[in-house]
């Protein structure tokens, strides 16, 4: 997840555990890739064998990703907050004036995946996104792949009791050329291993985006 401050002690974030990203990074490192792992404040343990770059906000994540380029492949698994508070308070918001709820102004965060996928010469050869959807999984994921300009998209259904912070997951891999692979129910480490193998296969010339 990323974490967007409201004031020095409060923030907006989401329920992502970081387990899937950690599993992918570790699997790639095991296959011999040099991995820069840019992470928000996730509870999952750090992936072994990777350079770890810690950030809090989406803006910091965007800057850290830019610094990590150039790269052969870029995989975007973070649950980035779509909005930040436009003017976080310098001091703790107080209830001096009673219990009236504060009015928060939101501003959009950068779309890190779309930005990297849209780079010209500096674009990684393989850009992989994730999609978290609560409904119309494949339809929304296919549109997201096109909108963000990525080569592959790993779609998974999320909800109150699904995926976020769970060990098991169910993903469908979509590719830009229209292929659709349902991987069925698997553990997050198994998804990481399979995706890492596929990335290695891509660079070995066995798969096309
Ligand atoms: N992503 C990103 N920067 C953002 C938001 C999302 O890089 N500001 C990336 C995620 O890491 C993921 C992909 O974009 O790889 C899709 O994220 P998702 O949350 O499914 O979609 P959104 O872009 O937030 O779109 P929507 O809210 O309409 O589902």
């Amino acid at each position: 997840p990323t974490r967007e401050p409201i004031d020095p002690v409060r923030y907006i974030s989401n329920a992502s555990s970081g387990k899937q990203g950690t599993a992918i990074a570790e699997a790639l490192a095991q296959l011999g890739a040099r991995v820069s792992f840019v992470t928000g404040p996730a509870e999952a343990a750090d992936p072994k064998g990777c350079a770890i770059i810690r950030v809090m906000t989406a803006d910091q994540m965007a800057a850290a990703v830019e610094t990590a380029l150039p790269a052969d492949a870029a995989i975007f698994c973070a649950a980035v907050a779509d909005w930040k508070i436009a003017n976080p308070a310098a001091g703790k918001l107080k209830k001096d004036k009673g219990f009236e709820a504060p009015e928060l102004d939101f501003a959009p965060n950068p779309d890190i995946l779309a930005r990297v996928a849209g780079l010209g010469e500096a674009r990684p050869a393989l850009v992989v996104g994730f999609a978290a959807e609560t409904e119309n999984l494949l339809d929304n994921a296919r549109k997201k792949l096109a909108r963000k300009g990525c080569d592959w998209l790993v779609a998974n259904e999320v909800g109150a009791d699904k995926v976020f912070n769970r060990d098991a997951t169910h993903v469908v891999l979509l590719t830009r050329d229209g292929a659709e692979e349902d991987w069925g129910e698997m553990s997050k480490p198994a998804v990481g291993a399979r995706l890492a193998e596929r990335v290695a296969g891509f660079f070995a010339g066995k798969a096309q985006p």
Side-chain angles (χ1 to χ4, degrees):
T2 62
R3 189 180 277 186
E4 309 296 332
I6 297 171
D7 69 15
V9 295
R10 302 182 177 93
Y11 56 81
I12 292 177
S13 191
N14 60 65
S16 170
S17 64
K19 286 178 184 167
Q20 187 61 82
T22 297
I24 296 165
E26 201 164 295
L28 284 164
Q30 265 168 18
L31 290 184
R34 196 148 53 87
V35 182
S36 297
F37 182 72
V38 180
T39 180
E43 61 176 66
D46 288 342
K48 295 187 198 84
C50 304
I52 313 285
I53 302 128
R54 287 182 207 290
V55 300
M56 282 289 173
T57 68
D59 282 325
Q60 290 166 359
M61 185 173 277
V65 166
E66 207 171 301
T67 305
L69 296 177
D72 296 313
I75 301 175
F76 294 84
C77 189
V80 184
D82 293 305
W83 297 279
K84 62 185 162 195
I85 307 301
N87 294 105
K92 186 183 168 201
L93 294 176
K94 301 286 288 174
K95 294 184 293 298
D96 299 346
K97 297 182 198 104
F99 277 90
E100 206 173 309
E103 284 195 11
L104 300 177
D105 279 334
F106 288 86
N109 270 328
D111 189 321
I112 307 168
L113 164 57
R115 203 183 257 186
V116 171
L119 291 172
E121 273 184 23
R123 184 189 191 277
L126 182 63
V127 175
V128 183
F130 268 70
E133 306 291 345
T134 53
E135 59 232 328
N136 302 328
L137 177 70
L138 294 179
D139 203 32
N140 282 336
R142 177 67 57 201
K143 286 185 192 135
K144 198 168 276 181
L145 183 151
R147 190 170 77 237
K148 304 226 176 195
C150 46
D151 301 307
W152 301 347
L153 188 122
V154 182
N156 55 25
E157 213 169 282
V158 295
D161 59 345
K162 287 184 192 151
V163 180
F164 271 25
N165 215 6
R166 295 269 312 261
D167 290 323
T169 185
H170 180 170
V171 307
V172 180
L173 180 81
L174 309 182
T175 68
R176 194 145 49 108
D177 62 9
E180 210 170 280
E181 291 172 22
D182 189 334
W183 289 6
E185 180 110 350
M186 296 168 90
S187 71
K188 289 179 178 176
V191 168
R194 185 154 169 184
L195 189 62
E197 291 284 352
R198 223 166 175 298
V199 170
F202 170 83
F203 285 102
K206 291 185 196 133
Q208 294 296 316

